[in-house]
Amino acid sequence: MYFKFTFCPIILLLWASLSFAQNVNVVIHGAASIAKTDDNFVCVTLDWWPAEKCDYNQCPWGKGGILNLDLRYGALINAIKAFNPLRIKVGEDGLFGFSQGCLSMERWDQLNRFFNHTGVKLTFGLNALFGRNESQTEKGLWIGDWQPQNTRDFMQYTISKGYKVDSYEFGNQLSGSGMGAKVDAKQYGKDVIVLKNLVKELYAHPETQPKVLGPGGFYEEKWFNTFLEVSGQGIVDGLTHHIYNPGPGVDPNMMNKILDPSYLNQVSQTYKGVSDVVNKFRPQLGACVSESGGALNGGSKDVSRTFADGFWYLDQMGMASTYDQKVFCRQALIGGNYGLLNATTFVPNPDYYGALLWHRLMGSTVLAVTKESDPNLRVYAHCAKKKPGVSLIFINLSKDRSFNITLSNAKPGDARKPNYEFVGKQNREEYHLRALTGDIKDDIVCLNDVPMVQTDSEDIPAMDPKLVDASTPISIAAQSIAYVTIRDFEAPACV
């Protein structure tokens, strides 16, 4: 442990000294917000896959599936409790239902005791294929009406036990061309009305009614518009979709993709399309990314567990928030290569710490930022969470360039007027994330030069900020990530 503590800063200081520094001014537009997220924007999934689930000649799920996950591990419990609370979506296996033995009542009881103990805010995925049959003429298309009896039984049992479900998501990757299975948009629209009426019937009091979310699949403009036209307003409370923009986990070019700013920007068209649908149909909760694991089919064994994955993950959360996405669910908390926790040891991977800092620092009010600089510097700004000020995340994709950043406060009302240069009087709170050895393929992250490893009691280590003189520029090292909170930045949108 002592070796790790001394090794981290030595390597990183050497690396920083070899990189070229560029001066950048970042303008924060604090007069008005551009979007709002849910207070529990950070979300993770738990999936059903067994240990035998294999992709690309590897079987990375271990005992991370919801049916065989050992819920007694202190490391798992503490990792969830650290969020206080953590939103978790329990995915569904589209081809098997509750009454067929996929999820026994005994296991559902165990899970709910665990969720209650750890303070989880739960979204549960429902089987939207129950009662349907696969078409004999079109491969992958499932036809017929959804049969709700299975879901009725499940909800009645859940209510009788007093278990809390924040929302139900209807189906999994059935939209558009689907993933292994698909449902016609008009049929889905009719069936989601049945689900909404069932929720209203069984949960009598509106204030305790779980929200209905859907479709939980990949965005396809015509399909999304059609199902919402059929279902009508007031049925689907939140529009959910999936993002896997880096592509298959076996792609040997994965690292280059997530370090390429132009590639990362491409997914903005999906966010814009979903936002346009939301603006047209006005679901109560807006849009949510209900599943995003980076690389498809279990993640990338060489990237997903490493520090480098944070360049994709945290940038996606930043981008999604600017497009008014309310929630961003990472696939998965545990299991596959893309789990935030190691599937065998439950030790947090680097992305876990990046997600926890976002949850603690970034408030729900999203602010616009502008800059003129290298596109490898990614910047997102929010009002600080629960306290005054603003919080920013800086993501430096460049391997040989650092940035010295000054801030300006945009003058509202007239774009022709110069911005106010911000000169703070209170120390900044800075959280710098870097790979332990300086190699972004490392699976240990340092926070302010301290390796993030669980304590002997399996607790999450302290994640304290570094206090920095406000008169100095913000320094972002090459291939690093930093959260910065400024308590005395005056942004009217944050008041």
Side-chain angles (χ1 to χ4, degrees):
M1 184 70 69
Y2 180 77
F3 173 76
K4 288 181 179 179
F5 181 82
T6 56
F7 186 64
C8 183
I10 291 174
I11 289 292
L12 292 170
L13 288 174
L14 174 61
W15 181 251
S17 68
L18 297 176
S19 64
F20 170 74
Q22 179 178 335
N23 296 327
V24 177
N25 182 252
V26 172
V27 181
I28 301 174
H29 299 259
S33 65
I34 59 169
K36 295 278 287 188
T37 71
D38 188 84
D39 286 338
N40 297 296
F41 175 75
V42 175
C43 164
V44 297
T45 68
L46 286 172
D47 218 324
W48 300 88
W49 295 118
E52 297 77 26
K53 170 69 164 68
C54 304
D55 294 290
Y56 317 127
N57 297 316
Q58 52 176 315
C59 309
W61 278 91
K63 293 188 177 181
I66 195 69
L67 298 183
N68 54 17
L69 179 62
D70 191 334
L71 305 175
R72 299 169 298 175
Y73 272 94
L76 174 64
I77 293 170
N78 293 337
I80 295 174
K81 279 187 170 183
F83 280 83
N84 189 34
L86 177 60
R87 182 185 294 276
I88 292 182
K89 188 193 86 167
V90 175
E92 57 91 40
D93 188 329
L95 301 180
F96 301 96
F98 180 79
S99 63
Q100 292 177 311
C102 182
L103 178 65
S104 69
M105 291 182 180
E106 180 183 6
R107 184 58 172 173
W108 185 229
D109 292 339
Q110 293 170 356
L111 287 168
N112 276 279
R113 286 193 292 269
F114 176 77
F115 293 150
N116 184 61
H117 177 59
T118 54
V120 164
K121 200 173 183 70
L122 180 65
T123 294
F124 190 86
L126 297 169
N127 183 356
L129 293 181
F130 199 81
R132 306 187 203 272
N133 296 298
E134 188 169 8
S135 170
Q136 299 299 308
T137 59
E138 184 175 348
K139 183 176 176 59
L141 176 65
W142 287 64
I143 57 177
D145 294 334
W146 175 64
Q147 298 299 315
Q149 186 60 49
N150 175 258
T151 294
R152 175 184 288 275
D153 293 343
F154 173 78
M155 287 184 180
Q156 286 178 330
Y157 181 78
T158 298
I159 293 168
S160 73
K161 301 291 286 189
Y163 298 150
K164 294 180 181 179
V165 177
D166 181 69
S167 50
Y168 288 110
E169 186 176 44
F170 188 50
N172 181 57
Q173 296 183 343
L174 301 175
S175 57
S177 300
M179 285 286 286
K182 62 182 178 181
V183 173
D184 178 76
K186 291 182 179 179
Q187 181 66 59
Y188 184 93
K190 294 175 183 177
D191 293 331
V192 79
I193 294 173
V194 175
L195 172 60
K196 183 68 171 183
N197 289 335
L198 180 62
V199 170
K200 286 182 176 180
E201 174 192 343
L202 297 181
Y203 291 88
H205 301 290
E207 64 272 13
T208 61
Q209 280 180 11
K211 302 297 189 292
V212 172
L213 312 177
F218 294 104
Y219 172 69
E220 186 177 284
E221 181 180 2
K222 183 178 179 181
W223 197 99
F224 271 55
N225 275 277
T226 299
F227 110 74
L228 287 169
E229 287 169 356
V230 171
S231 63
Q233 292 189 343
I235 300 297
V236 175
D237 297 301
L239 190 68
T240 56
H241 65 110
H242 294 181
I243 293 286
Y244 281 92
N245 52 314
V250 74
D251 188 348
N253 199 39
M254 184 64 61
M255 183 70 77
N256 292 332
K257 283 183 175 180
I258 65 175
L259 291 174
D260 181 353
S262 62
Y263 190 89
L264 292 176
N265 287 340
Q266 291 175 15
V267 74
S268 64
Q269 295 304 309
T270 297
Y271 290 129
K272 183 180 184 304
V274 172
S275 294
D276 289 343
V277 173
V278 167
N279 290 334
K280 180 178 179 181
F281 292 96
R282 303 285 179 183
Q284 178 187 352
L285 300 181
C288 307
V289 178
S290 63
E291 183 179 319
S292 185
L296 277 166
N297 300 325
S300 168
K301 68 180 181 65
D302 297 322
V303 176
S304 296
R305 300 173 179 175
T306 71
F307 176 80
D309 197 64
F311 295 128
W312 161 82
Y313 177 40
L314 299 177
D315 183 70
Q316 284 300 295
M317 289 207 292
M319 188 185 302
S321 67
T322 65
Y323 282 93
D324 214 27
Q325 308 287 295
K326 306 304 183 185
V327 172
F328 192 98
C329 293
R330 167 67 177 257
Q331 170 86 345
L333 173 62
I334 189 167
N337 291 308
Y338 41 33
L340 292 184
L341 306 179
N342 183 287
T344 303
T345 65
F346 298 91
V347 170
N349 289 319
D351 279 352
Y352 171 87
Y353 294 103
L356 183 55
L357 283 174
W358 182 291
H359 179 75
R360 291 177 174 179
L361 302 175
M362 306 292 275
S364 60
T365 301
V366 186
L367 307 175
V369 295
T370 53
K371 62 181 178 61
E372 294 180 5
S373 73
D374 191 318
N376 286 299
L377 177 65
R378 323 280 283 184
V379 186
Y380 302 99
H382 289 222
C383 296
K385 195 165 190 175
K386 296 182 179 179
K387 292 183 180 180
V390 298
S391 290
L392 302 99
I393 181 171
F394 298 92
I395 302 169
N396 186 356
L397 303 175
S398 175
K399 67 178 181 180
D400 56 12
R401 180 169 297 182
S402 60
F403 294 96
N404 293 324
I405 297 166
T406 55
L407 299 177
S408 292
N409 199 341
K411 183 172 291 187
D414 190 346
R416 297 170 297 178
K417 295 180 180 179
N419 298 311
Y420 297 104
E421 180 180 358
F422 172 73
V423 180
K425 296 181 179 179
Q426 296 183 29
N427 287 337
R428 293 191 304 267
E429 301 167 18
E430 297 189 0
Y431 304 78
H432 292 266
L433 298 172
R434 302 167 179 170
L436 173 66
T437 64
D439 183 350
I440 59 174
K441 295 180 182 178
D442 207 319
D443 62 359
I444 296 179
V445 61
C446 290
L447 170 61
N448 295 333
D449 297 334
V450 178
M452 290 289 98
V453 291
Q454 286 180 306
T455 67
D456 292 340
S457 59
E458 297 182 313
D459 288 321
I460 299 303
M463 301 178 70
D464 298 321
K466 176 172 65 173
L467 300 181
V468 181
D469 186 340
S471 66
T472 61
I474 301 169
S475 180
I476 309 297
Q479 291 192 327
S480 74
I481 299 166
Y483 288 93
V484 178
T485 297
I486 304 167
R487 295 297 177 198
D488 56 348
F489 191 99
E490 295 183 2
C494 300
V495 176

